Amino acid sequence: MLSQPMPSIGTGDFTLHWEGKKLTQVGDFAKILFRGSNGNNDFAVKLDISSGSSYVSGAVTFDFVSGSKATIFCGAGYFDSDATFKFTFDRDGVASVYKNGELGGTVDISGNSNIDLDFTIVDWFNTQNVDWIGRGLAILNTALTSTQASEIYRDGLQPWLAANPEYR
């Protein structure tokens, strides 16, 4: 598990960037890629689990713990190959997932737009019984567009951030 302090997102848009893959696992457990908390409002990104808490390979669920859950079904094995993933959150619209710059799916999250995500600690890879490859982790203060997601995949995260420092 990797933990880091994080500024307040509040009700603003954001993007989670992850380069890597899910490796071996023991059993059909939820794989918590990301969890943020301040003790009041938690938020988690769970891989291979549906909003109804059923194991589904290739599903990603965005769990606004004090709100609701929203799931995108990307296809079996979607997170099993080494790739660049982006999870974008337009808080009054949709959440999207991109793999190698290509859109994997979207889901409406507008019902969670008023939830204040004021995290003090962020945990990446907070799951037992799962091994991960994780590098190039980043939290951006905007919901990336499809064009921006493709640019980061093409150019790399650090060169893109150097050209766009306002999104750090």
Side-chain angles (χ1 to χ4, degrees):
M1 178 173 62
L2 174 67
S3 296
Q4 67 186 79
M6 181 180 154
S8 172
I9 289 174
T11 57
D13 300 342
F14 66 103
T15 295
L16 302 176
H17 172 90
W18 164 48
E19 298 171 23
K21 68 178 181 176
K22 172 179 61 82
L23 295 172
T24 59
Q25 68 183 51
V26 178
D28 293 342
F29 294 97
K31 287 148 267 320
I32 301 173
L33 173 69
F34 176 91
R35 180 184 303 276
S37 175
N38 71 354
N40 294 316
N41 293 323
D42 289 351
F43 171 75
V45 175
K46 300 175 181 179
L47 305 183
D48 295 341
I49 195 85
S50 72
S51 57
S53 299
S54 299
Y55 176 82
V56 179
S57 178
V60 57
T61 294
F62 308 116
D63 189 348
F64 294 84
V65 177
S66 63
S68 63
K69 299 176 185 178
T71 301
I72 299 173
F73 298 98
C74 301
Y78 189 79
F79 300 103
D80 296 346
S81 60
D82 201 358
T84 299
F85 297 94
K86 285 168 202 54
F87 305 92
T88 67
F89 302 90
D90 176 350
R91 296 292 299 283
D92 57 0
V94 299
S96 303
V97 60
Y98 294 89
K99 180 178 181 179
N100 294 336
E102 298 291 323
L103 182 64
T106 63
V107 66
D108 182 6
I109 61 167
S110 60
N112 297 297
S113 63
N114 64 341
I115 297 173
D116 185 5
L117 299 178
D118 183 17
F119 307 140
T120 53
I121 292 292
V122 167
D123 295 327
W124 292 86
F125 317 116
N126 187 359
T127 304
Q128 297 177 343
N129 304 311
V130 180
D131 292 326
W132 304 86
I133 292 177
R135 58 189 181 279
L137 304 173
I139 303 166
L140 308 176
N141 64 1
T142 187
L144 293 175
T145 65
S146 182
T147 299
Q148 291 168 322
S150 295
E151 289 171 353
I152 292 175
Y153 174 66
R154 180 191 68 220
D155 301 338
L157 177 64
Q158 292 307 319
W160 189 87
L161 285 173
N164 299 280
E166 66 273 20
Y167 297 125
R168 287 183 178 263

